[in-house]
């Protein structure tokens, strides 16, 4: 194949961008400096706006003024007076979840049962998951109380929403909307969940012990290793080394 005319190298040239508002041409030598300066101004302005918005939200929290998250709360809708009101059929599903958990059912079983019954999750979401059930069981909003600023936005770009683990103040408001379950029932659910979690950890630890028991041998003397807990940490050590050290050749 024969090329006609100028070569590719000859027709290749830089492509510039011209910013009309700032009067910056990227083909000019000083354009990079101006772009860095304008980018710094833009970032500073964005962070300043973010701080003002954050301050506004916190002031609303302190004054007890906050928008209700209807999309995330099954069982509530916005009433004619602009305040939250209970949706009876959805509230019945919420009560069923709390009652089922207290009666001994697990989150997986509850989700499976709700799927079999065809219970509506609201907002045209049909599928129930254990995580969905857990979200409802852990949500204090169903008692009529609210905890605000569970998450917060970071102060610098890129802004990210992170969990509030004590870095920022939290705001607790009592009786700010109609309850679906009682505070006593909610508290019993939290205690039961904590108890089951501890029991699960204990069972996991026992299964791990059975898995390694009589299967770990000392690489020097060939004897079985035994479990040893020191300062809360678990070790598997040679039985001879832990007892009669002269029986194991480990220095």
């Amino acid at each position: 194949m024969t090329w006609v005319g100028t070569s590719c190298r000859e027709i290749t040239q830089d492509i510039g961008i011209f910013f009309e508002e700032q009067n910056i041409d990227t083909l000019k030598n000083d354009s990079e400096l101006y772009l860095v300066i304008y980018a710094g101004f833009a970032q500073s302005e964005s962070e300043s706006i973010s701080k003002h918005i954050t301050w506004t939200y916190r002031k609303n929290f302190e004054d007890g003024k906050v928008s209700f998250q209807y999309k995330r709360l099954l069982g509530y809708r916005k009433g004619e007076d602009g305040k939250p009101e209970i949706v009876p059929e959805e509230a019945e599903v919420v009560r069923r979840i709390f009652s089922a958990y207290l009666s001994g059912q697990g989150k997986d079983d509850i989700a499976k049962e709700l799927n079999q019954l065809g219970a509506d999750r609201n907002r045209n979401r049909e599928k129930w998951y254990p995580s969905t059930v857990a979200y409802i069981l852990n949500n204090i909003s169903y008692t009529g109380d609210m905890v605000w600023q569970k998450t917060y936005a970071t102060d610098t770009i890129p802004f990210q929403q992170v969990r509030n683990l004590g870095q920022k103040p939290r705001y607790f408001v009592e009786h700010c909307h109609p309850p679906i379950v009682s505070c006593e029932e909610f508290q019993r659910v939290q205690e039961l969940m904590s108890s089951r979690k501890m029991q699960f950890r204990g069972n996991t630890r026992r299964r791990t012990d059975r898995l390694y028991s009589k299967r770990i041998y000392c690489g020097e003397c060939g004897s079985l290793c035994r479990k040893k807990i020191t300062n809360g940490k678990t070790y598997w050590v040679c039985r001879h080394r832990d007892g009669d050290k002269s029986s194991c050749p480990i220095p």
Side-chain angles (χ1 to χ4, degrees), residues 70 77-85:
Y70 295 100
R77 65 187 171 203
K78 189 175 183 178
E80 295 180 356
D81 58 355
K83 296 180 180 180
E85 68 177 17

Side-chain angles (χ1 to χ4, degrees), residues 157-173:
I157 297 175
F159 302 115
Q160 295 180 336
Q161 203 72 16
V162 297
R163 289 185 62 189
N164 185 3
L165 301 177
Q167 302 93 326
K168 305 288 183 180
R170 282 185 164 193
Y171 302 88
F172 177 75
V173 180

Side-chain angles (χ1 to χ4, degrees), residues 136-155:
I136 291 177
L137 292 173
N138 281 298
N139 202 325
I140 196 174
S141 302
Y142 289 111
T143 66
D145 302 334
M146 291 284 287
V147 176
W148 294 331
Q149 200 163 253
K150 296 178 182 177
T151 61
Y152 68 94
T154 54
D155 298 326

